[in-house]
Amino acid sequence: MLIREELKAVIEAILFVRAEAVSVEEIARITGAAREDILTLLTELALEYNERKSGIEIVSGDGGFLMCTRPEYHEYVRESGAVQAARLSQGVLETLAIIAYRQPITRAEVEAIRGVRADRALQSLQKRGLIKEVGRKDAPGRPVMYGTTEEFLKLFGLTSLQDLPAVLEEDNDD
Amino acid sequence: MGYSVKLDNYEGPLDLLLKLIEQNRVDIYDIPIASITDQYLAALETMAEVDLEVLADFLLMAATLINIKTRLLLPRPQVEQSAEDEEDPRHDLVNRLVEYRNFKALARMLEQRYEGSVPRVYFREPWDLEPQKEVRATLAQLVQAFRNVWDQKEEPEIPVRLPEGDIDIHEKMQVIEESCRKRRHLTLQELFAGAASRREALVLFLALLELIRLGRVTAIQPEPFGVISIMRTRSPQDAD
């Protein structure tokens, strides 16, 4: 049985090595500790990181908790070369923005918003693992619906879809 | 208007329209359709090489614009003038433009996050847990490969028996490492090709097993039953 401080250290180690959202359930399975204790320790750990303005912070995402760098130091992290350099074209970015905010969404719906064909942009986004098929729309032809992936969140430094900045201007409709 | 536009600078007809609205400094909710349509059509004429798919999207918008322009020109029936909800023919287009403009702004915001020009967090890449493409050859596979060589190698008729014990395993280990240094991928076949006799092939094989055991070389089989290659294991000393 791990003592409290050890358990906290183990949780920290797991979050570090996994580098992706780890659920409380999973940590419970690995450590054999109770979920409430894990949640308490996770919160404590996150606070400790915050208190000493550590370069790393612990955030909760869709699938659990994960580590990321503190936004204050973003310029240096970017300078460190850890960031992917490949550029996304304007068309691809627009398509991605539409999917991110309107998911799940079909190709035809994306095309209606952009006024141009979207097959190539969708293909490129899918190949880069930023979007995925999330089901089929209950409509004639049962078209494929797309949504964003975990990879999308990571690439844009978002912990969950709720993190997406608010829509700037409301449609003048209805 | 005298300026010319290149269509491939635009993401699509909506993008071009937004640019025209911006350049003309007009209200998006009160677009002077006649003048904007003329400019839009003028822009279409300047386009040099645009593929058909793209052209179709631009032409569809041109048709929409002309349709709206026509409806605005038609005299409105006086009787229904009072109707509150009489629809402006531009209504749908304006909504589409506003929506598209929103997404353009959101795309720009995503781009800034992507480029790291705004404060944001970064995540580590998780370990690549995907199975590696290269498959480490197992001992059984190595032995099988060796047997194939063994079966092919005819014992040459040697008229004069030379004293045995002339094949040194350490020397063969050096030979293998040397060959690996020269080529990035040394196949098992290439390795045994130089062996004059079964006995020499056997010593080579033992030397290879010893090198693998010591972790100095790795045997890699890219696909099941594929050719086995020998590669030197990367070590800090390799740096120079």
Side-chain angles (χ1 to χ4, degrees), chain B residues 111-175:
Chain B
E111 189 177 29
Q112 284 168 351
R113 295 187 70 85
Y114 181 70
E115 288 174 344
S117 51
V118 292
R120 54 160 288 187
V121 305
Y122 289 100
F123 300 100
R124 282 181 54 223
E125 283 301 310
W127 302 118
D128 190 6
L129 297 175
E130 294 279 302
Q132 276 195 311
K133 256 219 155 130
E134 295 176 333
V135 182
R136 293 280 153 98
T138 63
L139 182 60
Q141 287 162 337
L142 274 177
V143 171
Q144 185 55 50
F146 174 66
R147 285 176 79 121
N148 294 343
V149 175
W150 180 269
D151 291 343
Q152 285 162 20
K153 215 161 253 319
E154 306 250 313
E155 198 60 48
E157 291 283 320
I158 302 172
V160 187
R161 273 204 96 67
L162 293 169
E164 297 196 357
D166 52 346
I167 309 170
D168 180 22
I169 189 163
H170 291 287
E171 188 195 305
K172 288 298 175 203
M173 281 165 68
Q174 274 174 17
V175 167

Side-chain angles (χ1 to χ4, degrees), chain B:
Chain B
M1 294 243 142
Y3 59 85
S4 70
V5 282
K6 277 184 79 187
L7 286 191
D8 37 354
N9 289 341
Y10 298 97
E11 284 304 321
L14 289 169
D15 198 26
L16 171 56
L17 269 182
L18 280 179
K19 286 279 158 50
L20 291 175
I21 289 166
E22 202 177 289
Q23 276 164 352
N24 285 272
R25 296 167 187 277
V26 294
D27 181 3
I28 196 166
Y29 294 106
D30 189 20
I31 305 168
I33 289 289
S35 125
I36 293 288
T37 302
D38 290 348
Q39 290 174 42
Y40 183 92
L41 293 175
L44 279 201
E45 276 167 27
T46 64
M47 74 178 159
E49 303 129 29
V50 175
D51 68 67
L52 273 178
E53 275 194 6
V54 175
L55 179 60
D57 294 328
F58 279 96
L59 286 178
L60 182 65
M61 179 56 74
T64 307
L65 285 171
I66 292 166
N67 180 299
I68 295 171
K69 187 176 161 186
T70 316
R71 277 158 69 196
L72 284 170
L73 289 173
L74 289 176
R76 299 176 200 188
Q78 290 291 325
V79 226
E80 288 172 43
Q81 188 75 346
S82 58
E84 261 301 301
D85 57 358
E86 189 198 344
E87 197 174 319
D88 188 330
R90 300 173 295 185
H91 181 261
D92 286 346
L93 180 64
V94 169
N95 277 347
R96 285 186 65 193
L97 281 169
V98 169
E99 184 181 42
Y100 179 67
R101 195 172 63 176
N102 275 346
F103 279 115
K104 272 187 83 68
L106 292 169
R108 205 153 40 234
M109 178 278 301
L110 281 181
E111 189 177 29
Q112 284 168 351
R113 295 187 70 85
Y114 181 70
E115 288 174 344
S117 51
V118 292
R120 54 160 288 187
V121 305
Y122 289 100
F123 300 100
R124 282 181 54 223
E125 283 301 310
W127 302 118
D128 190 6
L129 297 175
E130 294 279 302
Q132 276 195 311
K133 256 219 155 130
E134 295 176 333
V135 182
R136 293 280 153 98
T138 63
L139 182 60
Q141 287 162 337
L142 274 177
V143 171
Q144 185 55 50
F146 174 66
R147 285 176 79 121
N148 294 343
V149 175
W150 180 269
D151 291 343
Q152 285 162 20
K153 215 161 253 319
E154 306 250 313
E155 198 60 48
E157 291 283 320
I158 302 172
V160 187
R161 273 204 96 67
L162 293 169
E164 297 196 357
D166 52 346
I167 309 170
D168 180 22
I169 189 163
H170 291 287
E171 188 195 305
K172 288 298 175 203
M173 281 165 68
Q174 274 174 17
V175 167
I176 295 171
E177 281 195 299
E178 196 52 49
S179 310
C180 285
R181 226 189 305 273
K182 282 185 194 141
R183 304 171 199 214
R184 282 192 46 78
H185 287 274
L186 177 72
T187 68
L188 219 57
Q189 277 82 350
E190 288 168 335
L191 177 64
F192 288 121
S197 64
R198 282 183 171 184
R199 224 180 128 260
E200 193 179 345
L202 183 61
V203 176
L204 262 175
F205 186 60
L206 291 175
L208 176 64
L209 291 182
E210 181 64 7
L211 284 172
I212 292 172
R213 191 185 69 81
L214 293 172
R216 278 154 59 181
V217 301
T218 316
I220 281 166
Q221 194 171 29
E223 58 201 312
F225 311 111
V227 174
I228 296 177
S229 325
I230 320 292
M231 284 173 78
R232 281 206 310 157
T233 316
R234 286 198 170 275
S235 68
Q237 294 107 286
D238 289 356
D240 49 8

